Amino acid sequence: MASYLMDLVYSLTCCFPGSPQLRINSRSFKILRLLGEGGFSYVYLVQDTTAHALYALKKIRCPFGQESVSLALKEVEAYTLFSPHPNIISSVDHSVASDKSDPGAKTVYILLPYYRRGNLQDLINANLVNHTRFPERRLMALFLGVCRALKAMHRYRVGKAPGGKGGVRGARKVREEAARADEEAEEEVRGAEGNIMIDDDGKTPILMDLGSLAPSPIAITSRSLALAVQDTAAEHSTMPYRAPELFDVKTGSIVDTKVDIWSLGCTLYACLVGKSPFEARSEETGGSLSLCVLGGDWRFPGEGQREQRGKQKQSQQPNGGASGMDEEAISEPVKEVVRRCLKVEPGDRPDVDELIGIIEDVLEQLGGPEGEADE
C-alpha cells in the first residue's frame, strides 16, 4: 500500500519544486512527471541530477516474489539481446529494489531513452485534431523502419541477434540475475504489438515495450495450450489490432509471426484513417468488433459507396466525413500494402522480408528522398 501511495505522490508533486528523487545503481535521478501507467507498471520522465539528461524510467511492481521479478527482467533481457539496432529501443540501466513496506515484494526499475516527439499514436491524434494527414512517403519510410525492427526479431537466433555475442552475454547476465533457465534459446521471437516511438530526428521509428515478446512459431498441440495462447494474446494485445487466429485459437494450428504482419496492417490503416479498420467498420455497422476481425470485414473510407453516388449526393464534410479522409486521398499502392497485411488466412500474408520488398517498391513509386519528413 505504501508503494501505491508513493506513486500517487510522484504523480501529484511532479509539477512542483522539490520533486522526489531516486537512485538507480550509482546514479541519482529527479522524477519530473508521470508519462503513463498500466497494470503493475508506471513510466516517469526523470532527469539525471549530474548530467541533467532526460530519460524515461519504467517502474514495474513485482508483488508476487521472484517469479514476477523474473518476468520483469525478461523485458530487460530483450532490450539487451536486440541492442544495438537503430529501430529497437535499448535500456540504459536497470536495478531491482526491495519494497520497504512488503519484504516479499520487489520493484524493477528500467532506465530507457526519452523521445520528445512521443509515439505514433500521438501523431495520429495530432492529425485528427488538426485535420491533417501523414505525407505518404514519410509514413511508408517509418513503416519500413518498423519492418526492419520486426525482421531482427523474427529472424532471431542465439548468437545472431543485432547485439551479437556481446548482446547474448548481456542477456544471459540479466537472465542469471533472475535465476531463470534458458528455455527459449532455440525459438524465434515474435514481436508483440507495442508502442512505436518516434526518434528526435522525426524520421526514425523505435519499437519499444519488449515485455510481451513470445516464442514463435507455436504449434498448438492441445486444447489447453490453445486456450493459454488465446488468453495471453487477450492480455498482451489490443483487440482492434489482434489477428483473427488469436481470437479463436484452434488445436492443430500454428501461431507464428504472421500475427505481427496483421497488426502492422491495422496500424498502417490507423495512420491513414485515424483508427483501426475494424473499429471503423464496427462503428459503421454497429456490429461486433471481433466478428468484423474474424470475417475480415473492413474497407477504406468511401469504398462500397460508388454505386450509390449516381443516385444521391453524399452528405459528408468536404474532407471526407468523420474519418477526415476520402478514398482518393490514399494512393492505390499504399492501400495495397494494407490489403496484403490484412488477409484473414495467415498463409496469404507476406512474411517480413516480402513486406520490406513491397514497401521499398511503394517508396520507389511515391518518389522523393526516403527520409523525407513533414516539418
Side-chain angles (χ1 to χ4, degrees):
M1 178 60 71
S3 183
Y4 284 91
L5 291 176
M6 283 304 299
D7 284 316
L8 179 60
V9 170
Y10 290 167
S11 63
L12 293 177
T13 62
C14 60
C15 300
F16 298 94
S19 296
Q21 297 187 15
L22 57 81
R23 295 185 68 83
I24 304 295
N25 297 321
S26 60
R27 302 167 67 180
S28 179
F29 297 89
K30 179 168 64 175
I31 298 175
L32 301 181
R33 61 186 174 91
L34 183 68
L35 294 175
E37 60 181 286
F40 289 101
S41 65
Y42 292 79
V43 179
Y44 299 98
L45 176 63
V46 300
Q47 184 177 47
D48 189 315
T49 57
T50 302
H52 305 294
L54 296 175
Y55 297 94
L57 178 67
K58 186 170 186 177
K59 174 182 178 180
I60 306 174
R61 282 207 200 87
C62 305
F64 307 117
Q66 187 63 25
E67 181 181 356
S68 52
V69 172
S70 296
L71 290 174
L73 286 174
K74 185 178 179 182
E75 181 173 344
V76 181
E77 179 186 341
Y79 292 132
T80 306
L81 198 60
F82 294 107
S83 178
H85 189 287
N87 301 114
I88 301 177
I89 196 170
S90 58
S91 64
V92 178
D93 201 355
H94 77 280
S95 69
V96 181
S98 297
D99 191 331
K100 295 180 181 179
S101 64
D102 183 357
K106 293 184 180 295
T107 300
V108 174
Y109 294 97
I110 308 175
L111 192 65
L112 299 165
Y114 172 62
Y115 298 103
R116 289 176 172 82
R117 290 177 177 267
N119 58 34
L120 197 57
Q121 186 61 56
D122 294 328
L123 297 184
I124 293 172
N125 293 342
N127 283 342
L128 289 172
V129 170
N130 299 320
H131 304 289
T132 56
R133 59 187 293 258
F134 286 101
E136 286 189 340
R137 198 169 207 295
R138 180 195 179 197
L139 181 59
M140 298 313 294
L142 283 172
F143 270 78
L144 181 60
V146 174
C147 286
R148 287 169 176 164
L150 283 179
K151 179 178 179 178
M153 296 180 176
H154 290 182
R155 298 291 177 260
Y156 164 74
R157 290 292 187 278
V158 170
K160 297 183 180 180
K165 293 182 179 179
V168 173
R169 283 195 297 269
R172 287 189 182 278
K173 183 178 179 181
V174 173
R175 190 182 298 120
E176 289 167 4
E177 183 179 352
R180 298 179 62 239
D182 189 9
E183 297 173 351
E184 298 171 359
E186 298 301 324
E187 299 285 354
E188 292 180 348
V189 174
R190 172 174 58 82
E193 184 261 337
N195 290 332
I196 300 173
M197 307 300 293
I198 306 299
D199 200 356
D200 293 345
D201 63 8
K203 304 174 184 178
T204 306
I206 308 292
L207 210 60
M208 62 167 295
D209 192 12
L210 305 186
S212 52
L213 293 178
S216 174
I218 301 175
I220 308 301
T221 56
S222 66
R223 183 58 183 161
S224 59
L225 179 58
L227 292 174
V229 170
Q230 192 169 304
D231 289 345
T232 299
E235 180 180 355
H236 292 289
S237 64
T238 307
M239 182 181 287
Y241 297 83
R242 192 183 310 156
E245 60 267 31
L246 294 176
F247 278 82
D248 184 18
V249 180
K250 304 292 187 183
T251 304
S253 65
I254 294 178
V255 176
D256 61 15
T257 57
K258 295 296 183 72
V259 300
D260 290 333
I261 304 300
W262 177 279
S263 296
L264 197 59
C266 292
T267 304
L268 179 55
Y269 182 100
C271 289
L272 295 165
V273 176
K275 61 182 67 174
S276 156
F278 303 101
E279 285 179 299
R281 187 61 176 157
S282 176
E283 291 173 6
E284 180 184 347
T285 63
S288 162
L289 190 149
S290 60
L291 289 179
C292 288
V293 173
L294 290 168
D297 183 12
W298 67 277
R299 60 183 60 179
F300 285 105
E303 285 186 345
Q305 299 177 356
R306 293 176 181 174
E307 64 277 6
Q308 301 177 15
R309 289 175 181 170
K311 301 178 181 179
Q312 60 181 21
K313 294 290 184 180
Q314 297 290 321
S315 56
Q316 294 182 335
Q317 302 173 11
N319 65 358
S323 68
M325 179 173 295
D326 57 38
E327 62 175 313
E328 287 77 19
I330 309 172
S331 68
E332 193 59 32
V334 173
K335 285 183 178 181
E336 189 58 26
V337 175
V338 178
R339 294 186 185 114
R340 293 286 298 276
C341 293
L342 296 184
K343 298 290 186 181
V344 173
E345 289 297 325
D348 294 336
R349 299 172 211 151
D351 62 24
V352 70
D353 287 305
E354 293 170 327
L355 186 56
I356 286 174
I358 292 169
I359 293 176
E360 287 175 339
D361 288 344
V362 171
L363 283 167
E364 188 173 340
Q365 294 178 56
L366 294 175
E370 181 176 308
E372 185 178 58
D374 60 334
E375 297 298 336

